[in-house]
Amino acid sequence: MLETETHAFLSDLAGRPPVDEALWLEALTHGSTGHERDYQRLEFLGDRVLGMVIAEWLYKLDTGDEGKLSQRHNALVSRTSCAAVARQIGLGAHIKLGKQARDDGGQDSDNILGDVMEALIGASFVTQGFE
């Protein structure tokens, strides 16, 4: 079950309350917690969804050649970009980390923030499709 603050955060982020709370909790859960399910599978999906959506957007927006499109795409879907968005929305406070990962500053790690951002995109896709 999601904490009230996290439930409100996700509701604001998605524009509606989370449909499948267990799935959204999985998206926020780092492997260091020891839970059976963590964000990795959703991150895999979210990475592909993000890549496809950005590729389509660039294709429609930019008349440049494939090389230019690839450069822009790689910059926009990078772990650094995902982590920057995660920081802007305050995602770090909602990530479920084990003690060691928390003590090591995992809530502000580009790797973890970027991965969890992609996992949230994956959870959104599973529950809402391309909306």
Side-chain angles (χ1 to χ4, degrees), residues 97 99-110 112-113:
L97 297 166
K99 182 182 179 342
Q100 187 64 50
R102 192 172 41 256
D103 291 348
D104 290 345
Q107 288 180 312
D108 196 43
S109 159
D110 272 7
I112 293 173
L113 286 169

Side-chain angles (χ1 to χ4, degrees), residues 10-128:
L10 291 172
S11 295
D12 288 345
L13 189 62
R16 64 180 87 168
V19 175
D20 181 348
E21 286 195 7
L23 183 75
W24 289 93
L25 182 59
E26 180 180 326
L28 294 169
T29 301
H30 186 262
S32 65
T33 62
H35 285 92
E36 184 177 326
R37 300 294 296 258
D38 60 34
Y39 64 69
Q40 290 182 359
R41 288 176 44 86
L42 288 167
E43 176 216 345
F44 169 82
L45 178 61
D47 177 59
R48 273 68 184 172
V49 170
L50 177 63
M52 187 184 72
V53 169
I54 294 297
E56 179 186 35
W57 177 72
L58 286 172
Y59 179 81
K60 289 178 179 179
L61 178 75
D62 195 325
T63 59
D65 64 18
E66 185 271 339
K68 181 180 174 188
L69 292 172
S70 290
Q71 286 178 332
R72 291 192 71 197
H73 182 272
N74 291 339
L76 291 168
V77 301
S78 72
R79 177 168 284 143
T80 303
S81 293
C82 288
V85 170
R87 283 187 184 92
Q88 288 175 348
I89 65 172
L91 179 57
H94 302 282
I95 298 173
K96 310 305 179 204
L97 297 166
K99 182 182 179 342
Q100 187 64 50
R102 192 172 41 256
D103 291 348
D104 290 345
Q107 288 180 312
D108 196 43
S109 159
D110 272 7
N111 289 339
I112 293 173
L113 286 169
D115 288 352
V116 174
M117 190 71 236
E118 289 176 342
L120 289 177
I121 292 168
S124 178
F125 180 75
V126 167
T127 60
Q128 300 179 63

